[in-house]
């Protein structure tokens, strides 16, 4: 098995874009988006720990039937989002992940069996208020730096031509790209993409191949007006020492070109860069072994191929 190297990075849209670590100060009381984000991060951790440690007490306080398992999973999601916000210099995606989680919480509260209607209504109002605050803070970071870039690379024990040919048949991309449901050709270099978010709603867009160098590189971009503005490229280079092919993947997501884009990026994962790396790892496994390794259904393995962070994000 060839050794692999994975890297991930994020960069700003242009030199004129302000760093998200030092966004412009605006809003009430002169509070900067970063300070607000940190406060939301600590709030998220505090709420998450409470949901994990005392789910029954919290259920009683908000006036719902006790559902400890569900409450603890929500707590894991809150803690993961809080840690992500506090540890990141660009907390925008993590804030949008909180917004997505807030909507899930609102839906859960609205459908919950009430024990005390007054307290439940108060809880719904409180979550709605936090949702607005999360969205306002996330939007400030989106306006400061709208484009997020992710890169990943790995060495695959196959020739550049083999790797290129598989990737070039873009209808096969759903075999290794997580959440991607289908890709169908609509023209010579144009295609229609459908992906599914963790909450089950489909996101669709049209794209075109902008550069196609056989055995070396494929570049693409979404068409104007797409719900999910994105563009990227994949390069296939001969690895040193005859070790196969060095595959380099670059992907870009524009979080400002469409109002729903930041929300969808968050739903694809609190750390989309991690998704990119995992997709490339699945491509490596598929090319080298003909299948993607999983522990699904194995008694000795985990019950799911998702780790605890994936579960927390997808709640």
């Amino acid at each position: 098995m060839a050794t692999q190297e994975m890297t991930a990075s994020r960069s700003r849209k242009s030199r004129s874009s302000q760093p998200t670590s030092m966004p412009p100060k605006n809003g009430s009381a002169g509070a900067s988006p970063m300070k607000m984000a940190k406060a939301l991060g600590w709030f998220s951790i505090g709420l998450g720990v409470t949901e994990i440690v005392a789910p029954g007490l919290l259920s009683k306080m908000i006036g719902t039937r006790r559902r400890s398992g569900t409450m603890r999973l929500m707590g894991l999601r809150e803690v993961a989002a809080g840690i992500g916000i506090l540890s990141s210099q660009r907390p925008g995606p993590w804030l949008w992940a909180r917004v997505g989680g807030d909507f899930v919480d609102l839906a859960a509260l609205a459908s919950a069996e009430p024990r005390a209607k007054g307290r439940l209504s108060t809880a719904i109002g409180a979550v709605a208020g936090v949702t607005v605050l999360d969205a306002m803070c996330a939007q400030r970071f989106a306006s400061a730096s709208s484009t997020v870039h992710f890169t990943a690379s790995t060495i695959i024990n196959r020739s550049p031509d083999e790797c290129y040919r598989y990737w070039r048949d873009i209808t096969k991309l759903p075999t290794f790209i997580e959440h991607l449901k289908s890709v169908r050709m609509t023209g010579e270099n144009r295609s229609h993409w459908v992906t599914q978010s963790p909450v089950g709603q489909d996101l669709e867009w049209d794209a075109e191949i902008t550069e196609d160098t056989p055995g070396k590189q494929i570049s693409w971009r979404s068409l104007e007006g797409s719900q999910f503005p994105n563009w990227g490229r994949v390069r296939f280079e001969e690895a040193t020492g005859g070790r196969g092919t060095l595959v380099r993947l670059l992907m870009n997501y524009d979080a400002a070109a469409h109002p729903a884009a930041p929300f969808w990026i968050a739903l694809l994962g609190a750390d989309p860069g991690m998704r990119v790396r995992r997709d490339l790892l699945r491509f490596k496994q598929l090319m080298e072994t003909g299948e993607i390794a999983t522990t699904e259904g194995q008694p000795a393995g985990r019950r799911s191929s998702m780790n605890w962070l994936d579960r927390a994000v997808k709640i």
Side-chain angles (χ1 to χ4, degrees), residues 66-295:
R66 180 168 180 169
R67 298 170 63 184
S68 298
T70 301
M71 189 72 73
R72 287 193 173 99
L73 288 175
M74 289 180 173
L76 285 173
R77 188 201 66 220
E78 291 284 357
V79 171
I83 292 174
I85 292 171
L86 294 175
S87 62
S88 175
Q89 292 299 313
R90 303 178 181 89
W94 290 99
L95 288 165
W96 283 113
R98 271 193 53 80
V99 174
D102 291 339
F103 278 107
V104 174
D105 292 345
L106 285 171
L109 288 172
S111 62
E113 183 181 355
R115 295 177 60 184
K117 291 185 178 180
R119 279 180 285 175
L120 180 58
S121 298
T122 300
I124 291 175
V127 174
V130 172
T131 302
V132 172
L133 189 61
D134 287 336
M136 289 174 58
C137 188
Q139 187 58 49
R140 291 183 182 182
F141 279 94
S143 63
S145 179
S146 63
T147 303
V148 186
H149 309 270
F150 301 103
T151 62
S153 63
T154 187
I155 294 177
I156 299 177
N157 189 26
R158 288 292 183 270
S159 69
D161 284 337
E162 288 178 286
C163 295
Y164 163 84
R165 284 197 303 271
Y166 193 97
W167 199 297
R168 182 58 181 83
D169 184 359
I170 61 175
T171 60
K172 293 181 178 179
L173 296 183
T175 60
F176 62 88
I177 296 182
E178 193 173 15
H179 297 311
L180 188 58
K181 293 178 64 175
S182 66
V183 180
R184 60 180 176 85
M185 298 301 300
T186 58
E188 183 177 356
N189 288 313
R190 293 195 172 189
S191 53
H192 184 75
W193 298 54
V194 180
T195 189
Q196 185 177 34
S197 79
V199 296
Q201 184 177 354
D202 288 349
L203 173 67
E204 303 183 27
W205 69 92
D206 293 309
E208 65 178 349
I209 293 176
T210 57
E211 181 178 350
D212 183 5
T213 305
K216 296 184 179 297
Q217 178 173 307
I218 304 170
S219 300
W220 68 90
R221 68 180 178 189
S222 58
L223 299 182
E224 186 176 355
S226 295
Q227 287 180 293
F228 193 47
N230 65 91
W231 61 99
R233 69 168 180 266
V234 58
R235 290 178 174 172
F236 309 95
E237 307 169 7
E238 289 189 9
T240 58
R243 294 182 296 163
T245 301
L246 174 61
V247 180
R248 300 181 186 272
L249 176 62
L250 166 66
M251 297 189 70
N252 307 271
Y253 302 99
D254 192 339
H258 190 282
F263 180 70
W264 282 110
I265 292 171
L267 287 180
L268 290 176
D271 183 359
M274 183 183 296
R275 297 291 185 191
V276 172
R277 297 193 297 275
R278 289 177 57 176
D279 289 342
L280 197 56
L281 177 58
R282 281 190 289 271
F283 180 59
K284 171 185 173 70
Q285 294 174 337
L286 192 60
M287 291 302 299
E288 292 183 343
T289 68
E291 61 183 2
I292 297 175
T294 177
T295 57

Side-chain angles (χ1 to χ4, degrees), residues 11-22:
S11 60
R12 303 174 184 87
K13 184 174 184 180
S14 65
R15 293 183 179 180
S16 61
S17 299
Q18 284 186 288
T20 53
S21 58
M22 297 181 63

